[in-house]
């Protein structure tokens, strides 16, 4: 994968069943959904897989939350359909269509919102993908084309437009794997992407009314290529060497990115792996042509190293320990894009192209993960992460923790099958939490502007969700009744959601919203 200095989310969808029809319908207080699949025609070469979801969580929160400053949940509707065709063992064709609409509505907070605060936020996304996979005796080739379109729109309490943006993307991608023999597997691919974006952001000024602060229409071409060789000189050792080249048309930037990985199995139940690579992420179009953007900005770069040890404790459980280090440079930043104190005076964002490739820093830490899988009795996993993220601006010497610097993170999921029909589960999350982004500090209990960045920390995040399922089995179908409670501890987790205004003395009015309240729900699921 290219065009990312961090992680990549890889979502894969399976084909629908070519053996029989199958369906699952869910109706609950928080929403409804349906998933179905099955063959089409007598030949069973063609199958379908589809789903539909509609969430009512926002409606339920509106009625259960006892605090008008409770952050609204997203209400959403989405649909998915995939058609798959396999005329022979060598060829697989599929077409996938996805679409979704979501809305956030802060009606409960209307009286507290300022003229530049959003009341409603709408997002509409459409994705169309077509794929052809060819399977040969020594090679596998996958070719796909896709088109996506996303539109976001924000309005204030008076119905005035604050933000409108439409992003479109179309691409052709091919990945080919070829077995060379003698333990070598060659993989190569290309990725040709075209992106366009139109954006408008408006802010209210007492002197001029609503004025555009950010308005542009731009496009970018982005070709990328990669090749890598995986060599297994012996059964217990695997070595991968490769690299990729990516280009970006707006600034004619080109990056060459080598990477390597080695995996070693000194024992059938023990795996040791290490990886190293260089990565780059081109500036988005808003960074090049938006309010603070400059068309000559280069790609931020990172160099990442990781060492992992995984021990399969038993057939059902495994322990994994991973240590990572990510060194970044040429990251986009300018202190002039945020309000702050300069020599004791309140200074507002500059109205000029001030972004620069001057930020460098690191993210490093350790993650420990233990998992137990079992169809009966206890199964689940627990993980702990210790991480540090810090940056320094080479131009100004400004030094601060990263926007997503969270030192301690704990995740726990457990499921216990009491009997064939009764199952209990829980999910627990803890985070020491992130900085409140910006040049902020507390003066007593008052939030004020500061000369240093990311000094204020949000309170610890704690959330426990519990659920109980009771299944009823019939000859050709199954019904499950379930009850779940989100945020069962009734924890008041908070976030700073919206900077409303700053007075001449530097006092900051930030909306501090409570996140998900205690949210009970009951539902029924039918599989047939």
């Amino acid at each position: 994968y290219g065009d990312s200095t961090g992680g990549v989310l890889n979502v894969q969808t399976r084909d629908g069943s070519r053996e029989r029809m199958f369906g699952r319908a869910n109706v609950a207080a928080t929403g409804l959904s349906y998933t179905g699949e099955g063959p089409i025609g007598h030949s069973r070469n063609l199958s379908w897989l589809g789903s539909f979801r509609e969430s009512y969580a926002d409606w339920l929160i509106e009625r259960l939350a006892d605090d008008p400053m409770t952050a609204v949940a997203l209400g959403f509707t989405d649909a998915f359909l995939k058609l798959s065709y396999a005329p022979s063992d060598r060829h697989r064709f599929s077409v996938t269509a996805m679409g979704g609409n979501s809305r956030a509505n802060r009606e409960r907070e209307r009286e507290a919102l300022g003229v530049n605060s959003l009341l409603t936020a709408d997002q509409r996304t459409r994705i169309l993908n077509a794929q052809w996979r060819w399977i040969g005796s020594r090679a596998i080739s996958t070719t796909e084309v896709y088109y996506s379109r996303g539109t976001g729109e924000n309005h204030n309490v008076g119905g005035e437009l604050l933000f409108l943006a439409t992003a479109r993307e179309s691409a052709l991608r091919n990945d080919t794997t070829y077995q060379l023999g003698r333990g070598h597997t060659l993989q190569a691919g290309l990725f040709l992407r075209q992106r366009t974006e139109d954006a408008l952001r408006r802010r209210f000024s007492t002197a001029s009314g609503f004025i555009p602060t950010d308005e542009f229409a731009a496009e970018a071409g982005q070709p990328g290529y990669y090749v890598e060789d995986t060599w297994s000189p012996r059964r217990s050792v695997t070595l991968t060497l490769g690299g990729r080249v990516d280009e970006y048309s707006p600034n004619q930037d080109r990056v060459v990115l080598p990477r390597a990985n080695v995996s070693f199995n000194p024992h059938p139940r023990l795996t040791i792996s290490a990886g190293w690579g260089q990565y780059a992420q081109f500036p988005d179009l808003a960074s090049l042509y938006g309010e603070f953007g400059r068309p000559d900005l280069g790609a931020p770069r990172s160099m990442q190293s990781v060492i992992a040890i995984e021990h399969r404790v038993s057939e059902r459980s495994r322990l994994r320990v991973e240590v990572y280090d990510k060194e970044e440079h040429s990251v986009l930043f300018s202190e002039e894009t945020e309000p702050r104190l300069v020599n004791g005076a309140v200074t507002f964002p500059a109205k000029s192209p001030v972004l620069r490739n001057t930020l460098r820093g690191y993210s490093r830490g350790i993650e420990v993960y233990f998992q137990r899988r079992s169809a009966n009795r206890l199964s689940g996993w627990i993980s702990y992460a210790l991480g540090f993220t810090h940056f320094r601006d080479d131009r100004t010497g400004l030094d601060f923790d990263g926007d997503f610097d969270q030192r301690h993170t704990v995740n726990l999921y457990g499921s216990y099958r009491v009997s064939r029909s009764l199952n209990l589960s829980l999910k627990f999350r803890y985070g020491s939490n992130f900085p409140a982004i910006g040049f902020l500090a507390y003066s007593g209990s008052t939030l004020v502007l500061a000369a240093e960045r990311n000094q204020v920390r949000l309170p610890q995040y704690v959330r426990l969700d519990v659920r109980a399922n009771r299944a009823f089995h019939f000859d050709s179908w199954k019904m499950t009744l379930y009850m779940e409670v989100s945020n069962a501890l009734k924890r008041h987790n908070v976030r700073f959601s919206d900077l409303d205004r700053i007075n001449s003395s530097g006092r900051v009015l930030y909306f501090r919203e409570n996140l998900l309240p205690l949210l009970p729900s009951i539902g029924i699921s039918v599989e047939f």
Side-chain angles (χ1 to χ4, degrees), residues 8 27 66 79 141 174 190 199 227 266 283 286 305 333 350 408 427 442 469:
V8 174
V27 179
D66 54 6
S141 179
N174 175 268
L190 62 87
V227 61
S305 305
F333 178 74
H408 305 281
K427 189 187 304 178
Y442 273 110
N469 294 343

Side-chain angles (χ1 to χ4, degrees), residues 433-452:
N433 226 323
F434 309 118
I437 300 173
F439 292 82
L440 305 171
Y442 273 110
S443 176
S445 60
T446 303
L447 196 65
V448 297
L449 286 182
E452 300 297 325

